[in-house]
Each structure stands twice: as structure tokens, then as C-alpha cells.
Amino acid sequence: MPYVVTRSCCADASCVLACPVNCIHPAPGEPGFGQTEMLYVDPRTCVDCGACTTACPVDALKPHTKLTGAELPFLELNRAYYDAHPHDDRAPMAIVPPQRRTSASELRVAVVGAGPAGLFAADELLRYPGVTVTVHDRLPTPYGLARAGVAPDHQDTKQVARLFRAVESQPGFSYRLNTEIGRDLHHEDLLRDHHAVIYAVGAAGDRRLGIGGEDLPGSASATDFVAWYNGHPDHSATPYALDGERAVVIGNGNVALDVARILTTDPDTLSRTDISDRALAALRTSRVREVVVLGRRGPAEAAFTLPELIALAALDGVDILVEGWPAGVPADATPKTRVLAELAARTPVPGRRRIVLRFRTRPVRILGEDRVTGLTVESTDEVESIETIEASLVLRAIGYRARPVPGLPFDEATGTVPHERGRVRPGAYVAGWIKRGPGGFIGTNKSCAQETVSALLDDLEAGLLAAPASGGPVSGHPEAVGLDGWRAIDDAERAAGQGRGRPRVKIVDREELLAAAARRRPRSVGRRSSS
């Protein structure tokens, strides 16, 4: 097999469109696209041209001759996909998406949210002549979870920023960062300057356990913990209890594995990433030696993806233990159980840090008076058993949850804004997690944005969008940050990292971010500078 997808890729289909023999699936329009954990290269039809590697924004594709030992399992993973999903009926040609035409001579759209969903929506809109897009975000920096959610030891995934940089460099694009809708500007202000508004505000909250002791010091959200070690300005100064030998993570999705990995990775390794300096300093003095990851269900139903499990299995200097294997589940029941069975068969090395993947266990109560000292758990098997796990830190990683958007309807049950193909009403639209719930991958936002933009253009063609009252996007406030300001922040962080062998050193305080942005004065906050 000449080329191999080597991890949970961004799945934005750039490689699919670039492949001249159509050997990468699932492709847009096929079952599973946007829901599978990754894309896969067909070994029978790949011609070793390398076009996919040039198109991939996160360098997820490699020739099979250059795979590392940790990446070898992906060779079989790619091949096995085509055993279960043959594509013999597909013509050997690249997929060329149809280009819609619009008769509008001018279209101005405000996008609220500068994460992947918002930037993919902007990119989709800017394919049409006469369109201008202003992207707003309450933070002084863009890219959302691609900056503040992807683990710092996944620098390859963070390379999707190159794609976003290309989006923001297009004519017609502008930023209005450090601008909170509902405080600095309101929906009515946006509609005065634009034909339509797309809300791509993500899911900034988290789900709660609903058990006793959840609010004790030492009990926190994994969502906030991730933001802390990624240098999010709202969370960079939060203290965490790393003075005990054991931490417990409740939930076993990809975020749970990220947290467990960061807590047990050698800080010298993390020092070569873009992890927050404050988090790195705290991890250097951490006493945590064991992280227990609790899952309610069995190993076959674990929420983490297979690529993330393979990456965890390859972690250097950390033992991975497996507990709570239910009777009757064979080791080869699923691809996940095969990897887990291999981990369970390993012999632990004394003195190493370790991650314990424990299944069929749920929390009952978090214990402690002034701070967390442990938690009570029970088995979810038919034979009930209750025990106490001593721990100084408990992190819940049971999912993100969106918050209501002022002026838009909100479904409390699903944590989303009700819509039809992204249309809330003519002039107001949603994309990303606020539209479909927290799930999918970075590239899932691309097809999601395409659907929303299509609904917006339908309304434009039907004459349902009111013309802006103003002559251009002028509403703003004095501390708004434009594209020039963001580039100044980006340059400052990269320059600081260059001398330390790091991709960047993040500025984590809002005031320092604004000071860095001011070093390159934009000609106009509302319009993109030509510099």
C-alpha cells in the first residue's frame, strides 16, 4: 500500500478531491462521510502519486515505507476498511464538487465564531464573487478548539491552522475579534451591516455528573482543564490539584485520553510543544503517577476512537493497564478490543507512570470535606460492587454542551439551536456544534458549513434577506482586533517559540494579547488590510 492515513485525520476531504484515482473513502456524498473516525486509502487502487499528501492540511498521509513503529497498525486499519466497504463500483476519477451560481452582485455576511465551523463557513461563502465575510469572536485569537482544544502533543493536527490562514487571507475576509455578541455588539447591529448572520459559536460549556461532591475543590471539568493547558485566556490562571499521586478522569472519549496522556507525559517532551508555560511549570512539579479513566460501558463500546487508542498504546515511558473486562467479550470482538487486549497482556514496568483504562464502572459520589480525597464507584455489571478510589483530582470528561444564543431559540434537551438545514429563520443561521451537537471531527464542519451556506443562498435567491441599512461593515468597538492584530499576535508567539525550539509560546493573558495585537495597527478593524 503506497500511502496510508495514519491517525484521526481532519476528514475535510481535501485529499479526496486531490486524488486522481478516487482511492480515498468515504467521500462526500457517501454513507459514513463526516461520521467515520478517519478517511482510508484503498491499497488496491492507490498509484503512489503523492497528491493526497500535498492536499492534506494536517500531514496525516504517509507512504508505507516511512511509517514509524507506532504507525504500523494504521497499515492494516486502512486495508481492513475496504474489506468491509468495497468500492469497486467507483470510477477512477477525482470528485469535482458542483459549483453553485448566484446572481447576487453583493452579499455581506457576519459569522459569529472563529473556530473551524465559522472559518469553513467563511471559506464556503467566499467561493462566490461579490461576497464579503466578517468573522467575529469574543477572544482576541481565532481557530477555537483547533487552538485551545487540540492537545499540545498533537502538533500535526494543529497544522490545520495552515488551512485557516489561507481562508483568512482571501479578498473579502475580515476579522472582528475580541468582540462579544450580546455585550459589545448585538444581533440587530450585525443585521444592520450584513444581509445575514451565521452563528458558529460551538459548545463552550460541559455536561455535569449530577452526583454529590461535584463542586469540591479538586473536582473540575476536563473541558476547563484542556483549556488550561492550552493557554485559553479564560482558564490560564486556574489552579489544579496536582499534589496527589492519583487522578481520576470520568468518561472515556478522546478528551479523556488527551487529559490522561498530558498528566503522565514527561514534561520535557511537552516542553517542545505549544503547551501553556503556566501549565508546563505546574506539570513539572506534579506528583501524579497514575490516572484512572472510568467508562460506564465495556471495552467494545468505549467512546474513544481507534486511532486515539493506537496513539495511546504507542506512548513512551507510560504503562497502559486495562481493568473491568466483562465476561463473555472475546479479545477479537472489535478492532478496539484487539488493541485493548494487547495492552492488557503487557507487563507493567515498576516505577513508571501509568494510565488505567477501567470499564464497566460509574461514579457514585466524590468524597472530601475541604477538597477532593477520592470517589465512590460502583460496577455496572449485574453483580453490584461498591468501592472507594483515593484521588486528589477528579475531572469529568462526559461531553461538551452548548449555551443558548441570545435572540435564537434553544433546545435544552439537545443543547442545540433548532434549524432546518442550518436555517433558523431567513437572515439567521447556525453551523457547527451549536447546529448539530458536539461530535464529529474538524472536517465534519466543512460539509456542515456547505449545507448552511446553501440554505442561506436559497434565501438570498428567494428575496428573503433584507438589504443592510448601512453602507458597509462599520459597527465595532475600540478594542476589536482585526486580521492585522491577529497576525501580530501570531508573529509574537512564533518568534518567542523559535528561540526555545517550540512552534510557539502562547500569550495567555487577554491584556497581553491586546498589547501584542496593537503592535501592528490595522488600517480598518472592519476590513482586511492589504498588507
Side-chain angles (χ1 to χ4, degrees):
M1 183 196 314
Y3 279 84
V4 183
V5 179
T6 59
R7 57 180 171 275
S8 289
C9 57
C10 71
D12 80 330
S14 297
C15 58
V16 177
L17 303 182
C19 177
V21 294
N22 196 19
C23 73
I24 304 175
H25 299 278
E30 294 179 347
F33 180 74
Q35 284 78 49
T36 55
E37 296 177 350
M38 54 188 278
L39 302 184
Y40 305 85
V41 177
D42 188 345
R44 300 169 302 171
T45 54
C46 178
V47 294
D48 197 18
C49 70
C52 56
T53 61
T54 302
C56 178
V58 295
D59 291 343
L61 287 130
K62 285 187 176 182
H64 78 287
T65 54
K66 293 186 177 180
L67 296 178
T68 66
E71 293 167 338
L72 283 175
F74 288 98
L75 190 68
E76 171 62 18
L77 194 60
N78 278 248
R79 186 202 63 78
Y81 173 81
Y82 291 92
D83 289 344
H85 305 89
H87 286 272
D88 296 332
D89 57 331
R90 297 306 300 266
M93 63 179 66
I95 299 172
V96 179
Q99 179 64 46
R100 175 173 179 163
R101 295 183 180 275
T102 176
S103 59
S105 59
E106 180 188 35
L107 175 63
R108 298 204 302 267
V109 180
V111 175
V112 181
L119 291 172
F120 276 124
D123 186 41
E124 188 66 24
L125 285 161
L126 291 170
R127 296 175 186 273
Y128 303 97
V131 177
T132 58
V133 179
T134 305
V135 177
H136 303 71
D137 200 282
R138 70 181 189 86
L139 294 180
T141 56
Y143 305 168
L145 289 181
R147 176 180 168 95
V150 175
D153 60 342
H154 281 1
Q155 288 297 307
D156 41 19
T157 305
K158 287 176 179 278
Q159 290 184 56
V160 74
R162 295 182 301 184
L163 176 62
F164 298 150
R165 189 176 180 89
V167 172
E168 67 192 18
S169 298
Q170 297 180 70
F173 182 98
S174 62
Y175 273 134
R176 191 174 287 138
L177 305 172
N178 196 43
T179 301
E180 185 171 346
I181 307 304
R183 185 193 65 182
D184 303 313
L185 291 176
H186 299 273
H187 181 71
E188 295 75 16
D189 300 319
L190 298 178
L191 282 182
R192 185 173 60 250
D193 294 343
H194 304 85
H195 292 83
V197 183
I198 297 177
Y199 288 91
V201 295
D206 65 278
R207 299 182 183 276
R208 292 180 60 83
L209 295 166
I211 62 176
E214 190 170 8
D215 294 318
L216 280 170
S219 169
S221 159
T223 302
D224 293 346
F225 189 75
V226 168
W228 169 71
Y229 63 60
N230 272 315
H232 191 294
D234 290 351
H235 302 278
S236 64
T238 304
Y240 285 96
L242 304 179
D243 55 345
E245 294 194 353
R246 181 182 292 116
V248 175
V249 182
I250 301 171
N252 61 7
N254 286 350
V255 171
L257 295 195
D258 283 347
V259 167
R261 206 175 57 251
I262 295 301
L263 281 169
T264 53
T265 295
D266 184 346
D268 286 342
T269 299
L270 294 175
S271 70
R272 298 189 290 272
T273 73
D274 65 347
I275 190 171
S276 158
D277 276 354
R278 291 176 183 171
L280 181 61
L283 290 167
R284 285 194 183 282
T285 61
S286 170
R287 295 182 57 209
V288 174
R289 305 295 300 174
E290 178 180 278
V291 180
V292 180
V293 180
L294 299 182
R296 292 172 179 264
R297 296 182 292 179
E301 299 82 27
F304 49 71
T305 62
L306 181 57
E308 287 298 321
L309 178 61
I310 291 173
L312 188 73
L315 198 60
D316 288 332
V318 179
D319 286 328
I320 314 296
L321 283 67
V322 179
E323 297 180 354
W325 197 288
V329 176
D332 61 352
T334 68
K336 282 182 186 176
T337 58
R338 284 194 288 272
V339 176
L340 287 167
E342 292 172 4
L343 288 171
R346 292 181 181 178
T347 301
V349 177
R352 274 186 174 180
R353 291 189 175 101
R354 63 183 190 172
I355 297 171
V356 181
L357 302 178
R358 180 165 175 172
F359 299 97
R360 307 287 292 175
T361 304
R362 62 170 166 248
V364 177
R365 184 178 182 84
I366 297 174
L367 306 174
E369 294 185 4
D370 299 326
R371 56 170 293 176
V372 169
T373 58
L375 72 161
T376 304
V377 300
E378 65 180 2
S379 170
T380 60
D381 289 327
E382 292 182 2
V383 179
E384 294 185 0
S385 63
I386 297 179
E387 65 175 290
T388 296
I389 300 175
E390 293 184 1
S392 60
L393 178 65
V394 175
L395 298 171
R396 60 183 182 276
I398 55 175
Y400 291 86
R401 180 175 173 80
R403 294 166 179 158
V405 178
L408 298 186
F410 189 74
D411 186 333
E412 289 287 350
T414 62
T416 60
V417 170
H419 65 92
E420 181 182 355
R421 295 174 47 242
R423 178 194 297 107
V424 182
R425 56 179 178 265
Y429 306 86
V430 287
W433 284 1
I434 191 65
K435 170 186 173 183
R436 66 180 193 275
F441 306 94
I442 291 175
T444 310
N445 292 294
K446 187 170 186 175
S447 55
C448 175
Q450 289 170 343
E451 180 185 62
T452 296
V453 169
S454 178
L456 187 157
L457 294 177
D458 286 345
D459 290 348
L460 175 68
E461 295 295 331
L464 300 178
L465 302 184
S470 69
V474 295
S475 295
H477 68 106
E479 292 189 331
V481 174
L483 176 59
D484 286 333
W486 155 236
R487 291 283 168 85
I489 294 170
D490 189 38
D491 290 347
E493 291 184 339
R494 290 178 183 275
Q498 188 172 16
R500 297 168 58 181
R502 303 176 63 182
R504 68 174 66 237
V505 174
K506 285 182 177 175
I507 303 171
V508 300
D509 292 310
R510 185 180 290 265
E511 293 305 316
E512 291 182 21
L513 286 165
L514 295 178
R519 292 176 195 138
R520 184 187 297 174
R521 291 289 182 184
R523 300 179 185 180
S524 170
V525 169
R527 298 186 183 276
R528 187 177 69 89
S529 168
S530 60
S531 61

